[in-house]
Amino acid sequence: MAEESRINGFAWFLAGLGVGALAGILYAPKSGRETREELANSAREGSEYLRNRGKQVAEQVGGIVDKSREQMSEYVDRGRDVVDRGRAQWEDFVERGKSLVGDQGARVAAAVDAGRQAYRSTSSPASGSSGSTTGTAFGAGSTPSSTGSSGA
């Protein structure tokens, strides 16, 4: 919106410049040579004004571009921070999960060992030699030390 009003203002300026030049030519009490010199000076002044105004606009646009770059850099930095925090939280959750699985694995291994011990203690005195064979067959699949090391 502001740019459109500047363009409209500039268009009105040019229109006024043209009307003024025309009125000056029609009502000029000066000679043709003087009028031409005055018109040439006015044209030079107008082109100088346009050149200066163009430089001002270029500086303003450059400032806007610089400000936009700074904001984009800030947004990128914020995004990186958020990603880093998310990654750290994810790693923390993974480590907690590994720890929990390790603890539960150790508890299960301890429960299995306790169950084996309970089974051996109850089956050994009552059965005699067959209890030791059953206990050996039960324990042949995995030993407590192998179960404990695979869970950790």
Side-chain angles (χ1 to χ4, degrees), residues 73-145:
S73 175
E74 183 179 324
Y75 292 146
V76 167
D77 290 342
R78 284 183 188 175
R80 285 183 182 150
D81 290 343
V82 168
V83 168
D84 290 343
R85 274 188 267 136
R87 185 176 292 134
Q89 285 179 348
W90 176 255
E91 290 172 356
D92 185 41
F93 290 146
V94 167
E95 289 302 317
R96 285 183 188 176
K98 285 179 182 178
S99 174
L100 183 63
V101 167
D103 291 346
Q104 293 300 324
R107 287 182 182 172
V108 167
V112 168
D113 289 341
R116 284 185 186 153
Q117 291 295 331
Y119 179 75
R120 287 182 186 149
S121 67
T122 57
S123 64
S124 292
S127 318
S129 65
S130 68
S132 64
T133 306
T134 308
T136 304
F138 180 75
S142 65
T143 61
S145 63

Side-chain angles (χ1 to χ4, degrees), residues 48-68:
E48 185 177 324
Y49 171 80
L50 290 176
R51 197 174 307 122
N52 289 336
R53 188 67 181 138
K55 287 179 184 178
Q56 290 174 351
V57 168
E59 289 173 1
Q60 288 176 347
V61 168
I64 291 170
V65 167
D66 290 342
K67 195 180 290 186
S68 299

